[in-house]
Amino acid sequence: MSVKKLRVMVAKPGLDGHDRGARVLARCFRDAGFEVIYTGCHQTPEQIAAGALQEDVDVVGLSCLSGAHRYLFPEVKRLLVERGADDIQVVGGGIIPEQDFQALRDAGIAEIFTPGTTLDSIVEWFNTHVQPRR
Amino acid sequence: MRTASRLIRCLEDGEEDARSAMKYLFPFTGRAHVVGITGSPGAGKSTLLDGLVESRRKIGNNIGVLAVDPTSPFTGGAILGDRIRMQRHAEDPGVFVRSLATRGALGGLSKAVGDAVHIMDVMGKDMIFVETVGTGQQEIDIINHSHTVVVVLIPGMGDGIQAIKAGIMEIADIFVINKADRPGTSKLHRELKALLDLAAPTSFHNGWRPPIIQVEDAFKPEPFGKSIQELSDTIDKHYQSLQEHECLRSRLHRKAETELKEAMQVCIMDTIFEGLISSGEEEMMINEILNKKSDPYSLAKGMAERLLKKHH
């Protein structure tokens, strides 16, 4: 009786204590039946990447409202790739200006969710684009 | 490390291949000292654990941590938040923290805990900490998976009667009164001491009377560090005592028995149920119970007779 559960890490990189969004999403993922590893605020990209590997997650969701996403998001992705985990998808959310989307996508960020995105559509994206234990 | 984490995951998910992999790993297990940490929600288990990890790293121990949090009975999802308190060790290659969801197990652990302990053991961890979910009174599966059980209590959680209840109070090898800077600490200490005084000396296995350690405010590094050191030393003393009195063997016996039962459950019961579900028989039986045409015991007995070919 084998079941495949989606494992998601929700993390807040950098100096940003606004975690309401991250918590709402963690809760929403729980309700969608995912296993959520929530690591809280003020994480370095190194901590997030190391945690993602130890926890064997399928996807890392980063929340950033400080404006430092252009550095922080790609750095997490880079560290994962460097450690041989290019299969772990990285998605981001928060206050992200549209003109930054392309740069983030080019750096390997799979999707960006900005304010106003419904929880349902985020869960739907996860269910469509992320396979547990590929 | 990622291989280990993936293997734990496959075992959590109940993959057949992963179970066969255990066959090759099993002979190399049995080296690590497994320490269980249990206590009510918010008692401070993760924070204590973070302190313990730091103190063990100072003496060069290679550490594994398995932290269990509850799965939602409604959606099957889970929020695993124990890492938050241990993030400062995230980049330390000598510390491997893995969160597990209970996935319906009721004893305060996840079914995969036993296997995950073995995997960390084979990885060469000197000490493996297993943190249970926040427990009530009855979630005592931790004794079947650890050599040393630390029960974490906090002041203000009930009167003396709580302390003499069965279950969680009986499984402690070491008691910790956490947040001991709060009111009610001396009362709790008194009650615990009275509980231990009441017990017949023979009820302490190999003469080990569970010590009571008070740990104060985690935000004051100095007294906290001192208490953690005391706890860490006591954990070592308990292991030595188990070894000296050859009690390690009886604990391992209990662990082996549990693991055998769990494996039987997986290989026999789950297989039977899978068959019954796919043949539709399970649904039929449930309907018979609902319509009062039969009762669960008769159905189970009939099934046992059919499957075991035994007639009473």
Side-chain angles (χ1 to χ4, degrees), chain A residues 1-7 9 23 26-27 29-40 43-44 46-48 50-58 83-88 132-134, chain B residues 1-2 5-7 9-10 12-16 19 71-72 75-84 87-92 95-103 269-271 273-274 277:
Chain A
M1 249 189 282
S2 139
V3 283
K4 285 191 176 186
K5 288 241 172 152
L6 202 73
R7 277 172 80 87
M9 175 172 273
R23 287 184 189 209
R27 167 73 196 261
F29 291 148
R30 185 201 81 179
D31 292 342
F34 308 160
E35 287 184 352
V36 186
I37 292 95
Y38 181 65
T39 57
Q43 304 298 307
T44 64
E46 287 79 7
Q47 285 175 323
I48 294 169
L53 290 172
Q54 292 186 3
E55 297 287 355
D56 191 32
V57 295
D58 302 300
R83 293 169 199 191
D86 45 350
D87 56 322
I88 298 181
R133 284 201 283 123
R134 309 137 309 268
Chain B
M1 197 259 309
R2 199 167 182 221
S5 188
R6 175 54 58 96
L7 187 54
R9 176 131 178 238
C10 293
E12 281 186 283
D13 288 353
E15 287 279 301
E16 207 58 57
R19 287 191 191 129
T71 293
S72 158
T75 66
I79 293 184
L80 311 172
D82 293 316
R83 281 192 86 88
I84 299 177
Q87 271 305 77
R88 63 185 168 135
H89 305 294
E91 288 174 72
D92 180 349
V95 182
F96 179 14
V97 181
R98 183 63 160 72
S99 315
L100 298 167
T102 54
R103 299 203 180 176
M269 283 303 291
D270 291 0
T271 316
F273 260 95
E274 258 174 276
I277 290 169

Side-chain angles (χ1 to χ4, degrees), chain B residues 238-282:
Chain B
H238 179 255
Y239 195 66
Q240 278 165 18
S241 155
L242 284 180
Q243 281 175 321
E244 281 162 17
H245 294 82
E246 285 170 5
C247 274
L248 211 47
R249 206 176 156 69
S250 75
R251 296 231 169 180
L252 295 176
H253 187 278
R254 191 163 65 191
K255 184 175 161 70
E257 189 182 353
T258 308
E259 286 182 329
L260 180 63
K261 272 189 197 156
E262 283 173 2
M264 292 270 205
Q265 169 80 29
V266 166
C267 293
I268 302 175
M269 283 303 291
D270 291 0
T271 316
I272 292 175
F273 260 95
E274 258 174 276
L276 292 179
I277 290 169
S278 62
S279 71
E281 259 182 292
E282 191 223 21

Side-chain angles (χ1 to χ4, degrees), chain A residues 75-98:
Chain A
E75 184 62 8
V76 171
K77 182 70 190 175
R78 189 188 69 75
L79 288 164
L80 286 173
V81 173
E82 189 182 277
R83 293 169 199 191
D86 45 350
D87 56 322
I88 298 181
Q89 298 205 56
V90 179
V91 298
I95 311 293
I96 316 235
E98 228 177 295

Side-chain angles (χ1 to χ4, degrees), chain B residues 282-301:
Chain B
E282 191 223 21
E283 196 52 44
M284 271 159 52
M285 292 200 281
I286 290 173
N287 281 326
E288 280 183 47
I289 296 170
L290 288 175
N291 301 331
K292 313 282 178 206
K293 289 211 173 105
S294 188
D295 64 291
Y297 282 111
S298 308
L299 289 170
K301 207 168 157 229

Side-chain angles (χ1 to χ4, degrees), chain B residues 10-308:
Chain B
C10 293
L11 286 161
E12 281 186 283
D13 288 353
E15 287 279 301
E16 207 58 57
D17 293 350
R19 287 191 191 129
S20 358
M22 287 308 286
K23 185 161 58 185
Y24 301 102
L25 297 180
F26 204 77
F28 303 101
T29 62
R31 226 179 45 85
H33 179 187
V34 185
V35 179
I37 313 263
T38 187
S40 54
K45 297 180 291 298
S46 305
T47 306
L48 269 184
L49 195 43
D50 175 66
L52 280 171
V53 170
E54 191 193 17
S55 109
R56 304 308 294 199
R57 286 300 290 151
K58 276 188 194 149
I59 55 168
N61 275 178
N62 198 333
I63 298 295
V65 176
L66 290 165
V68 188
D69 265 336
T71 293
S72 158
F74 301 110
T75 66
I79 293 184
L80 311 172
D82 293 316
R83 281 192 86 88
I84 299 177
R85 317 271 174 240
M86 293 177 244
Q87 271 305 77
R88 63 185 168 135
H89 305 294
E91 288 174 72
D92 180 349
V95 182
F96 179 14
V97 181
R98 183 63 160 72
S99 315
L100 298 167
T102 54
R103 299 203 180 176
L106 294 175
L109 294 176
S110 137
K111 279 183 192 152
V113 155
D115 293 333
V117 164
H118 288 317
I119 288 166
M120 287 192 165
D121 195 344
V122 174
M123 285 171 83
K125 300 295 175 192
D126 301 300
M127 192 171 268
I128 300 166
F129 292 104
V130 181
E131 182 189 335
T132 70
V133 301
T135 51
Q137 298 167 323
Q138 191 63 52
E139 293 94 334
I140 56 167
D141 279 0
I142 187 70
I143 52 168
N144 298 322
H145 291 287
S146 46
H147 303 113
T148 304
V149 176
V150 179
V151 172
V152 185
L153 302 167
I154 42 175
M157 292 286 282
D159 64 9
I161 301 301
Q162 298 295 340
I164 53 174
K165 282 191 181 164
I168 193 156
M169 300 303 289
E170 291 178 287
I171 63 168
D173 296 308
I174 299 168
F175 282 108
V176 168
I177 300 182
N178 207 18
K179 313 189 188 186
D181 48 311
R182 296 199 177 173
T185 298
S186 57
K187 184 166 169 275
L188 177 58
H189 194 281
R190 230 172 19 246
E191 283 168 358
L192 263 184
K193 194 175 161 296
L195 163 84
L196 294 170
D197 289 342
L198 270 177
T202 47
S203 69
F204 298 128
H205 301 292
N206 63 57
W208 175 268
R209 178 187 157 117
I212 307 167
I213 295 170
Q214 293 192 184
V215 180
E216 290 177 23
D217 200 340
F219 291 105
K220 290 180 190 146
E222 207 172 296
F224 182 70
K226 238 176 106 184
S227 308
I228 289 293
Q229 194 53 51
E230 188 190 350
L231 175 57
S232 178
D233 294 342
T234 312
I235 288 171
D236 283 336
K237 272 187 216 148
H238 179 255
Y239 195 66
Q240 278 165 18
S241 155
L242 284 180
Q243 281 175 321
E244 281 162 17
H245 294 82
E246 285 170 5
C247 274
L248 211 47
R249 206 176 156 69
S250 75
R251 296 231 169 180
L252 295 176
H253 187 278
R254 191 163 65 191
K255 184 175 161 70
E257 189 182 353
T258 308
E259 286 182 329
L260 180 63
K261 272 189 197 156
E262 283 173 2
M264 292 270 205
Q265 169 80 29
V266 166
C267 293
I268 302 175
M269 283 303 291
D270 291 0
T271 316
I272 292 175
F273 260 95
E274 258 174 276
L276 292 179
I277 290 169
S278 62
S279 71
E281 259 182 292
E282 191 223 21
E283 196 52 44
M284 271 159 52
M285 292 200 281
I286 290 173
N287 281 326
E288 280 183 47
I289 296 170
L290 288 175
N291 301 331
K292 313 282 178 206
K293 289 211 173 105
S294 188
D295 64 291
Y297 282 111
S298 308
L299 289 170
K301 207 168 157 229
M303 193 54 64
E305 278 166 9
R306 201 175 94 196
L307 291 169
L308 302 172

